[in-house]
Amino acid sequence: GFDRVYGQERSISVLQSALTRDRVSSAYLFVGPPGVGKNLTAIEFVKALNCEGRDGNGCDECAPCRLIDSGEFPDLYAPDKQGRRIVKGNSGERGKNTLVNIISRLHYPAVMGRAKVMLLDPADALTPEAGNMLLKTLEEPPRNTHFVLITTLESSVLPTIVSRCQRLRFPPLPPAEVSRFLVAQRDIPEDLAERLAAASEGSIARALDLNAGKVLEQRLEIVDFLLALPQNDVSRRVAASLRTLSDLVGKEREVVERVGTIATMLSRDLLSASSGLASETLLFNERASAIHSLARSWGRQGALAFATQVREFARGLRHNENPKHLLYFLGNEMAELSAHGASPASRSTHA
């Protein structure tokens, strides 16, 4: 049931209200970052629509619920992709889950359930031709048919399609919700779960990826590297530390990605320390003395400026900027903070 979804109570409340009042929209657009429960909510919604219990939630035990969980429910459709794109396809391609074939099937009665559902994840994978075909179907949806479109960015979906959907927003999860999931569902120790949650950017999927990749290994070595960056001769320190960390971790880019993850967590600790929180609350409480010392030196504004710099660092990695140059930038910005404090503009951008 919907209780399997963590931290998205608002969207679930909207769906359950529509289900219990029999006012379900023909099309929904789920919008939010990766790994926050959009797809799982969609699956639970399909179960609630078709569950034999009819109480606005899936029971997880009846035949429709079990088949939906196993991916074998005959009235749940998801078009195949060609590469990363969802294409219209040709009606003559028998046996294939092309968009044109699925839309044709939607005009027939449901095979087993009360409702037929098409799931499009991600909806921004639709080609223009496929999008136009879907739009025509949304304008005149077949009987007892619902569409769930999932995207990370609303603007990447045709505006005419968006206008035909009821939009539900799925925000990043609070760290406490991510940590609760990791402990309850993956049996991850609580202290590690809290660290993973802090670095997850509100995404359970990212937290699981971080854990699977053992990204938090060598975390103290990386924290020590970051805490030493504001000292003199940033370029020499970066080069030497990259060599050392590469021996421990592997490729240089992987090292820099780990540095970015640990820097996100360190920025949280510096903000906590600058607010006067106790050492026990820090993610890197093993380095509490050094973190409190740096927080006193920078002050609250400096800690906020560092958090902005870390976000710029992460943005640069996502845009495939030179990883070593990004480290030089971060080190120089930290050195500026140590020398002069946060500037009025907080130095939030770089060339």
Side-chain angles (χ1 to χ4, degrees):
F2 284 116
D3 57 353
R4 295 172 60 198
V5 182
Y6 281 70
Q8 300 295 350
E9 289 80 8
R10 184 172 181 178
S11 291
I12 289 170
S13 176
V14 171
L15 292 172
Q16 286 193 301
S17 176
L19 286 159
T20 54
R21 293 164 52 220
D22 198 23
R23 298 289 297 274
V24 178
S25 297
S26 60
Y28 290 93
L29 179 65
F30 292 179
V31 183
V36 297
K38 301 186 302 296
N39 187 276
L40 180 58
T41 301
I43 294 301
E44 295 303 326
F45 175 59
V46 179
K47 286 160 66 174
L49 278 169
N50 290 282
C51 180
E52 294 174 355
R54 292 176 177 258
D55 65 351
N57 204 353
C59 71
D60 300 330
E61 295 178 358
C62 67
C65 283
R66 292 200 308 271
L67 288 171
I68 291 165
D69 274 335
S70 66
E72 298 173 350
F73 187 63
D75 296 307
L76 175 58
Y77 300 95
D80 295 332
K81 297 186 184 74
Q82 288 188 7
R84 296 183 178 181
R85 307 294 286 167
I86 298 174
V87 301
K88 175 182 175 182
N90 299 312
S91 57
E93 295 180 285
R94 293 184 177 180
K96 292 190 176 180
N97 283 324
T98 59
L99 188 66
V100 66
N101 281 347
I102 291 174
I103 289 177
S104 175
R105 286 179 226 156
L106 292 176
H107 286 87
Y108 291 95
V111 176
M112 179 181 183
R114 292 192 304 277
K116 298 158 289 180
V117 181
M118 182 192 287
L119 178 61
L120 291 145
D121 182 13
D124 42 284
L126 287 162
T127 64
E129 186 183 27
N132 286 328
M133 183 179 191
L134 176 66
L135 176 61
K136 292 177 182 177
T137 309
L138 292 176
E139 290 171 346
E140 296 183 26
R143 182 180 172 83
N144 296 329
T145 300
H146 304 277
F147 299 83
V148 179
L149 289 71
I150 296 176
T151 185
T152 57
L153 193 63
E154 182 178 319
S155 61
S156 65
V157 182
L158 281 174
T160 45
I161 289 179
V162 173
S163 68
R164 296 283 174 179
C165 299
Q166 180 176 346
R167 281 161 279 184
L168 293 180
R169 303 200 178 278
F170 288 71
L173 302 174
E177 285 294 311
V178 178
S179 179
R180 186 167 71 90
F181 171 89
L182 296 174
V183 172
Q185 301 297 326
R186 294 295 186 271
D187 202 26
I188 292 174
E190 190 170 339
D191 59 339
L192 176 57
E194 289 178 358
R195 289 187 168 111
L196 290 167
S200 70
E201 299 175 2
S203 166
I204 286 174
R206 175 164 169 75
L208 292 173
D209 287 344
L210 292 173
N211 188 52
K214 299 182 179 180
V215 171
L216 297 189
E217 289 185 358
Q218 289 84 43
R219 65 182 183 276
L220 293 181
E221 290 90 337
I222 295 174
V223 168
D224 290 340
F225 160 65
L226 286 167
L227 291 171
L229 267 183
Q231 300 173 17
N232 293 330
D233 200 353
V234 169
S235 60
R236 180 184 63 80
R237 189 172 297 280
V238 165
S241 295
L242 271 179
R243 286 194 297 271
T244 302
L245 292 171
S246 293
D247 290 339
L248 293 169
V249 175
K251 295 180 180 179
E252 185 175 283
R253 182 170 185 83
E254 186 178 346
V255 170
V256 177
E257 288 174 349
R258 288 198 186 189
V259 170
T261 298
I262 301 300
T264 299
M265 300 168 69
L266 178 60
S267 70
R268 177 189 180 277
D269 274 1
L270 285 166
L271 286 168
S272 296
S274 68
S275 299
L277 297 182
S279 298
E280 297 78 40
T281 67
L282 301 181
L283 296 168
F284 299 116
N285 49 41
E286 304 96 331
R287 298 294 185 266
S289 177
I291 289 170
H292 278 287
S293 175
L294 192 58
R296 285 192 296 272
S297 171
W298 286 0
R300 180 71 176 175
Q301 289 303 311
L304 288 168
F306 177 64
T308 299
Q309 293 160 7
V310 170
R311 287 194 294 272
E312 284 295 305
F313 183 88
R315 183 197 63 79
L317 280 177
R318 288 195 300 271
H319 287 81
N320 293 313
E321 294 182 23
N322 184 297
K324 191 176 291 186
H325 290 172
L326 288 170
L327 272 183
Y328 291 150
F329 161 76
L330 185 64
N332 285 325
E333 291 293 302
M334 292 176 71
E336 281 291 311
L337 280 174
S338 292
H340 307 295
S343 70
S346 297
R347 290 183 296 274
S348 61
T349 59
H350 70 286

